[in-house]
Amino acid sequence: MTVDGIRLGRKLFYDPILSVDSTVSCATCHQQALSFTDGLDRSQGVAGMTRRGSLSLINVGFHYDGLFWDGRSPNLEHLSLIPPEDPIEMAETWDNVELKLRNHPVYPTDFRQAFGIDNVSGIDRHLAAKAISQFLRTIVSGHNSRYDRFVRGEIFLEENEFNGYLMFFNIDPSLPDAQCGHCHNAPLMATNDYFNNGLQESPDLYSFPDPGLGAITGIASDNGRFKPPTLRNLVFTAPYMHDGRFKTLPEVVDHYASGGKESPNKSSFMFNLVLTESQKADILAFLLTLTDSTTLTNPAFKNPF
Amino acid sequence: MRPFILLAVTAFVVGFISCKEDNPEGTLTLHFKAVYDGQPLQTFTTHPFEGIQQIQFTHLSMMVADLQLVKGSAVKDLDDIELVDLSFDNLAAAEAGYTLTIPNVATGSYDGIKFGLGVPPDLNQKKPADFSSGSPLSKTGYYWVAWNSYIFSKTEGRLDTLGNGTLDLGFAMHTGSDALYRAGQGTIPIVIEEGKTTNMNVLLDYKDLLQGVDIKSHPQNHTQSDTSEIVKIVNNYGTSITLSL
């Protein structure tokens, strides 16, 4: 990563030049003010609504074993190549994007500074993807939340927050295990595994309306499994789940407390948790300690135009 | 079939087999396979369990550590840590198992193989953030914050507790913490020949592994004060693992 590479990637991230009609940029679906999501249940592309909601990009550089809800991309460089050519998201071709970048009054200089190319013909999709990936890797949050400060021993959590913490990670056997930490483990408050969290009812492994990971791997038992998103800044990332079905955090907690819908590969951690309303409130209080609002205003992530 | 004998988890001195650059080398390929009552174990299929119960597995995996070939009192280090995932929902994959290929093994005749099941205490002091993404130990899904420990193995599935055909109880038996690390050794003649591959099967029979484990009463073991059933699991490794060439 270089300063010039990150700078170029940030410009490309915010520039609608990647879309066919110059109306949609990466930032359209990944807005800094919403912790790099878009507030929609399904994202808006140039040709309509996409199939799924946008995932937060917070700490995306630390994720591997597949990116996107269904793990279709092995790394950020691959991920960055997909939206421009998605027929709904940006509906452009990389051939055309390359032409636009090569003929642009500024980008050839930016690419030269970032990658040392000696001719505009050296500008291609792979360098563009590398630059965008460099910028994405700078979107880091893991220092300023109340949770992080608590872990570092700088502050105490409030009693309700602390109770929620104990249940989230099942630290105190006298409290119920809220089963959260299996899929949303520290420090990312996510994992690189995939889970069926009981959103879709299916009598067998083959009847999920959205197969998620299974559509990518072709493995039946992966059907209905999705990547758990980070819970950092989740107060800004509503609506929730891959299809945005839950508008509020209490709805999310109620879903997990209920055990969700039945299917053969539903996670073993999904069952009726028998939580009181007070315990649910404590878990919500803990979730809010994961808020780092400085990420939303960090000038390094802002639109450079 | 050769048994896998659990060793006391204490330090002991053994010699070390050096590997000089000009020594001829071959390849050792280990095929880890899950079986149930001797038959290939396919996830999402149902098997008889204790009494009237039926069991269906959905996820099977474990950390295998400190793989070493043994020659007399000397050992040859092969691999520090490997996440062996035995979750296969089709029969062909279950029969093939998880393959671990170890190249550049010095040729010769060895007496057996040693390995640990879990994460050794020195590595278990660390956390996923201490490792690069290529390491199994970077996986946050295999770290349990409340225990300050890696998850050594995952055995997950569903149980038909009433024997009526309904899988009514999900279970997740996760092992972890230094006290539950187990190391063992199998005595089996292994010959590594120059430029050739020697294949070895490591079979883990989950029926034997879960012998005496009361899943119905303890479908999860995430509390350190309640490790009775997962202790049984790690103590069953010796009777559930067999080696063959």
Side-chain angles (χ1 to χ4, degrees):
Chain A
M1 289 171 62
T2 64
V3 171
D4 290 321
I6 294 166
R7 184 186 298 126
L8 171 58
R10 181 176 161 201
K11 289 176 73 171
L12 292 170
F13 181 86
Y14 279 98
D15 195 336
I17 195 172
L18 299 182
S19 63
V20 68
D21 58 0
S22 293
T23 60
V24 171
S25 71
C26 305
T28 303
C29 303
H30 300 285
Q31 301 168 23
Q32 184 183 12
L34 297 174
S35 201
F36 296 96
T37 62
D38 59 8
L40 302 172
D41 53 358
R42 290 175 171 80
S43 295
Q44 176 72 55
V46 297
M49 306 301 284
T50 61
R51 279 196 307 153
R52 300 178 184 137
S54 68
L55 273 165
S56 172
L57 298 177
I58 295 285
N59 296 326
V60 70
F62 296 109
H63 285 262
Y64 56 91
D65 283 347
L67 301 166
F68 289 115
W69 286 103
D70 56 13
R72 83 183 82 152
S73 278
N75 52 51
L76 288 175
E77 285 74 12
H78 181 274
L79 171 148
S80 301
L81 290 171
I82 292 180
E85 292 198 328
D86 184 286
I88 295 175
E89 292 183 49
M90 293 181 176
E92 181 57 288
T93 67
W94 270 109
D95 285 345
N96 203 41
V97 171
E98 288 172 349
L99 284 175
K100 288 191 283 187
L101 293 174
R102 289 168 186 165
N103 293 322
H104 193 275
V106 177
Y107 276 121
T109 303
D110 292 337
F111 272 88
R112 179 177 171 78
Q113 288 176 334
F115 297 110
I117 59 172
D118 53 14
N119 190 294
V120 291
S121 63
I123 296 174
D124 66 10
R125 66 200 69 185
H126 301 295
L127 290 185
K130 282 183 178 179
I132 293 170
S133 302
Q134 288 188 32
F135 171 63
L136 294 178
R137 289 191 174 96
T138 68
I139 304 175
V140 173
S141 171
H143 185 75
N144 296 315
S145 72
R146 283 176 52 72
Y147 167 75
D148 294 308
R149 296 176 64 201
F150 161 71
V151 169
R152 291 199 300 270
E154 295 172 2
I155 62 168
F156 291 105
L157 295 181
E158 299 294 336
E159 184 176 354
N160 58 343
E161 295 170 338
F162 188 66
N163 281 341
Y165 163 75
L166 295 175
M167 289 185 281
F168 188 99
F169 288 116
N170 190 28
I171 293 171
D172 184 345
S174 70
L175 293 171
D177 180 355
Q179 309 286 341
C180 313
H182 305 291
C183 309
H184 299 283
N185 208 353
L188 297 177
M189 297 302 166
T191 59
N192 287 301
D193 299 324
Y194 295 79
F195 298 91
N196 172 351
N197 60 342
L199 292 173
Q200 305 179 89
E201 189 161 358
S202 179
D204 52 47
L205 292 173
Y206 305 95
S207 305
F208 292 96
D210 186 340
L213 175 66
I216 306 303
T217 65
I219 297 171
S221 55
D222 285 339
N223 287 336
R225 287 182 170 156
F226 294 89
K227 189 177 186 67
T230 180
L231 300 187
R232 289 183 177 273
N233 271 349
L234 83 170
V235 70
F236 303 115
T237 63
Y240 305 100
M241 309 297 156
H242 67 276
D243 54 8
R245 70 179 61 189
F246 300 130
K247 310 303 179 197
T248 67
L249 286 173
E251 287 179 64
V252 173
V253 173
D254 283 340
H255 165 73
Y256 285 113
S258 75
K261 298 176 180 175
E262 292 305 318
S263 56
N265 61 346
K266 188 179 75 169
S267 168
S268 299
F269 309 117
M270 291 292 301
F271 54 88
N272 191 332
L273 298 177
V274 195
L275 297 175
T276 66
E277 291 306 311
S278 174
Q279 289 166 336
K280 291 179 188 177
D282 288 351
I283 291 166
L284 278 171
F286 171 67
L287 293 175
L288 297 183
T289 70
L290 301 172
T291 302
D292 172 14
S293 56
T294 64
T295 314
L296 279 55
T297 55
N298 187 332
F301 308 148
K302 280 189 172 179
N303 188 338
F305 297 110
Chain B
M1 291 284 191
R2 302 298 178 93
F4 187 72
I5 310 299
L6 287 183
L7 303 171
V9 188
T10 53
F12 54 93
V13 178
V14 295
F16 185 81
I17 302 166
S18 65
C19 182
K20 295 176 184 174
E21 287 185 5
D22 56 351
N23 275 354
E25 295 171 335
T27 298
L28 176 64
T29 300
L30 300 173
H31 304 276
F32 291 89
K33 300 178 183 180
V35 298
Y36 194 85
D37 202 13
Q39 299 303 308
L41 176 49
Q42 187 181 350
T43 53
F44 297 97
T45 59
T46 304
H47 308 272
F49 193 54
E50 301 282 341
I52 61 170
Q53 299 178 95
Q54 302 279 313
I55 194 168
Q56 186 177 96
F57 297 96
T58 57
H59 181 87
L60 308 165
S61 63
M62 73 200 71
M63 295 282 187
V64 174
D66 289 341
L67 265 163
Q68 297 174 319
L69 281 175
V70 179
K71 190 173 191 175
S73 61
V75 296
K76 164 66 179 165
D77 291 333
L78 299 175
D79 195 8
D80 288 339
I81 193 88
E82 185 80 13
L83 175 57
V84 174
D85 193 334
L86 299 173
S87 313
F88 301 110
D89 67 8
N90 73 81
L91 186 58
E95 288 174 336
Y98 178 95
T99 299
L100 173 60
T101 301
I102 304 167
N104 307 321
V105 180
T107 57
S109 297
Y110 297 89
D111 305 324
I113 191 165
K114 291 170 65 174
F115 54 84
L117 291 152
V119 178
D122 58 330
L123 291 174
N124 201 33
Q125 295 176 9
K126 299 178 182 293
K127 294 184 176 179
D130 296 325
F131 297 89
S132 64
S133 60
S135 169
L137 297 180
S138 72
K139 292 182 177 294
T140 54
Y142 279 81
Y143 192 83
W144 191 236
V145 172
W147 290 28
N148 287 318
S149 170
Y150 279 94
I151 296 172
F152 293 177
S153 71
K154 296 183 178 182
T155 305
E156 300 174 7
R158 297 187 298 170
L159 208 58
D160 169 7
T161 61
L162 302 173
N164 64 3
T166 299
L167 296 159
D168 55 302
L169 180 67
F171 67 87
M173 312 299 285
H174 290 185
T175 65
S177 77
D178 289 351
L180 271 62
Y181 180 72
R182 294 292 182 272
Q185 177 172 331
T187 302
I188 184 169
I190 302 167
V191 178
I192 304 293
E193 297 181 89
E194 183 174 8
K196 294 184 178 178
T197 297
T198 300
N199 290 285
M200 172 182 280
N201 293 312
V202 182
L203 270 56
L204 175 55
D205 195 317
Y206 276 83
K207 185 177 184 186
D208 296 331
L209 185 72
L210 296 177
Q211 186 68 41
V213 177
D214 185 356
I215 295 177
K216 184 178 177 179
S217 300
H218 297 76
Q220 285 198 13
N221 294 78
H222 283 130
T223 305
Q224 278 187 302
S225 59
D226 181 21
T227 58
S228 59
E229 303 312 300
I230 55 175
V231 167
K232 292 176 187 172
I233 289 177
V234 298
N235 288 341
N236 282 344
Y237 282 136
T239 54
S240 57
I241 296 176
T242 51
L243 309 174
S244 66
L245 292 171

